Amino acid sequence: MTEDRRLRVLRAIVQDYVETSEPVGSKSLLERHALGVSAATVRNDMAALEEEGLIAAPHTSAGRIPTDAGYRVFVDRLSQIKPMTPAEQRAIGHFLEGAVDLDDVVDRTVRLLASLTRQVAVVQYPSLSRSSVRHVELVPIGGPRLLVVLITTTGRVEQRVVDAGCDLLDEAGEATLAALRTELNAATAGRTLADASTELAAVPDRVDPSRREVVRAVVAALEESLDEEREERVVLAGTANLVKSGGDFSASIAPVLEALEEHVVLLKLLGTVAEQGGTLAVRIGAENPYAGLRSTSMVTTGYGAGSDLVAGLGVVGPTRMDYAGAMASVRAVATYVSRILAD
């Protein structure tokens, strides 16, 4: 019972400090929360929490603030993540479903997360190393010109125009394209990009010699598409939100901003999401492995196409963060992005 009561006191301190940014005293706790105990009991509980390293006095003030360890206990003991309202869910769905391509999906996602959480949002582009080929389409666009379209499971669309060396709009050309389309999709659909590239190399040898010139041109275009843009990328939004919270950092905010500019750092942090099975993760303060981010907290999760995780997304902000709200927003947005990619 005593432990449960102290956890209620800790929860109240975290909630008040997040809301007001002011150290919390026993008097304000009793005024703002129905703790059902005396002022002396609250003071004793606060003393015990301070002894355990869960709260601390920032200066001579009678108030206390949560420590990193206190935030960790608070997050671990959240009985449930605050659900988003139906109106918020509809707004998320409507905003993201208006995207026209993968770049637009990523751009909308990062701006939406920053707006919902008032933190810095970070979204990793779908990893091509974890992508597969969904479909190959061949579209004649006049004379010998052919549009070769490669669509991946992560929503990336690559297009190339090739010269097939013959007219593709007559009956013979249509038959050639139909057979080639079937052959190419049989070789690549459902395979990773690396495996698809290997399979493509063997396609010209399996077709009629009279069609090999067309096939080689198409295969060369597809291999070029498969090799392009392999570099992993992240996109950020809401850096101004962090600057507005500058008072939450005991030292300069400069190391945090410098760390956020190092995209390789963010890619490594988001890359661990897949290793953890895409579960919602919260890193608080010193739990972050990079010195520049040890005055911040990160809430991250994975997203993908169906059950396949392809990347991570999340938010970065001061440790004085609305954890329940941030966790709900990150999880909800990741769910919607995954649905869009799966469709």
Side-chain angles (χ1 to χ4, degrees):
M1 179 64 72
T2 299
E3 182 180 359
D4 288 344
R5 189 184 66 236
R6 287 177 182 168
L7 286 174
R8 289 199 304 272
V9 171
L10 174 63
R11 186 182 305 116
I13 292 172
V14 171
Q15 291 171 345
D16 285 4
Y17 183 60
V18 167
E19 181 178 342
T20 68
S21 75
E22 296 293 334
V24 182
S26 58
K27 182 179 178 181
S28 64
L29 282 179
L30 289 168
E31 291 174 348
R32 293 168 61 92
H33 301 273
L35 298 175
V37 294
S38 67
T41 298
V42 171
R43 287 193 294 271
N44 288 337
D45 287 341
M46 291 179 68
L49 291 170
E50 186 169 9
E51 186 175 342
E52 293 171 17
L54 302 182
I55 61 175
H59 42 69
T60 56
S61 165
R64 299 294 183 270
I65 65 174
T67 62
D68 288 356
Y71 284 124
R72 168 50 60 194
V73 171
F74 171 78
V75 169
D76 289 346
R77 298 299 182 95
L78 280 175
S79 58
Q80 61 181 15
I81 299 175
K82 182 173 62 179
M84 306 204 74
T85 67
E88 289 173 328
Q89 293 177 13
R90 287 193 298 271
I92 291 174
H94 179 73
F95 186 76
L96 293 179
E97 286 167 5
V100 297
D101 56 24
L102 180 61
D103 290 334
D104 197 15
V105 169
V106 173
D107 179 66
R108 286 170 180 255
T109 299
V110 74
R111 288 190 290 117
L112 177 63
L113 262 181
S115 174
L116 287 172
T117 63
R118 296 186 296 280
Q119 309 292 350
V120 180
V122 184
V123 177
Q124 178 187 14
Y125 259 81
S127 171
L128 290 178
S129 64
R130 292 193 287 269
S131 301
S132 301
V133 176
R134 177 176 290 172
H135 186 68
V136 173
E137 188 55 63
L138 306 175
V139 184
I141 53 177
R145 295 193 308 155
L146 179 67
L147 180 64
V148 181
V149 183
L150 172 70
I151 304 171
T152 72
T153 52
T154 55
R156 186 174 295 281
V157 178
E158 294 288 340
Q159 301 180 5
R160 298 288 186 279
V161 175
V162 301
D163 186 340
C166 60
D167 191 347
L168 298 170
L169 295 177
D170 57 16
E171 187 173 336
E174 290 178 359
T176 295
L177 287 183
L180 180 54
R181 189 180 292 113
T182 299
E183 185 76 33
L184 291 172
N185 279 294
T188 61
R191 288 186 168 85
T192 64
L193 302 193
D195 290 344
S197 184
T198 300
E199 291 294 322
L200 280 173
V203 171
D205 295 331
R206 296 202 297 264
V207 301
D208 187 275
S210 63
R211 292 192 281 138
R212 281 179 184 165
E213 183 179 354
V214 176
V215 174
R216 287 194 178 103
V218 171
V219 167
L222 286 171
E223 288 179 335
E224 181 182 342
S225 298
L226 290 170
D227 288 336
E228 191 167 276
E229 296 187 22
R230 293 289 179 117
E231 183 181 356
E232 303 287 351
R233 288 190 291 158
V234 293
V235 179
L236 280 73
T239 305
N241 291 328
L242 193 66
V243 175
K244 292 174 185 176
S245 303
D248 286 308
F249 299 94
S250 57
S252 169
I253 196 175
V256 180
L257 296 175
E258 290 172 2
L260 292 176
E261 289 179 358
E262 293 291 336
H263 285 193
V264 66
V265 169
L266 298 176
L267 282 169
K268 287 180 179 179
L269 290 172
L270 291 174
T272 61
V273 170
E275 299 171 6
Q276 299 166 348
T279 56
L280 194 67
V282 181
R283 287 191 184 90
I284 300 171
E287 295 172 357
N288 284 301
Y290 298 96
L293 296 175
R294 286 177 184 161
S295 59
T296 71
S297 287
M298 289 188 70
V299 179
T300 57
T301 194
Y303 71 91
S307 59
D308 298 325
L309 290 177
V310 296
L313 58 80
V315 296
V316 182
T319 53
R320 189 182 66 86
M321 175 190 293
D322 175 10
Y323 288 97
M327 292 162 72
S329 296
V330 167
R331 185 173 64 179
V333 170
T335 299
Y336 277 94
V337 175
S338 297
R339 289 176 186 172
I340 290 171
L341 293 183
D343 293 339

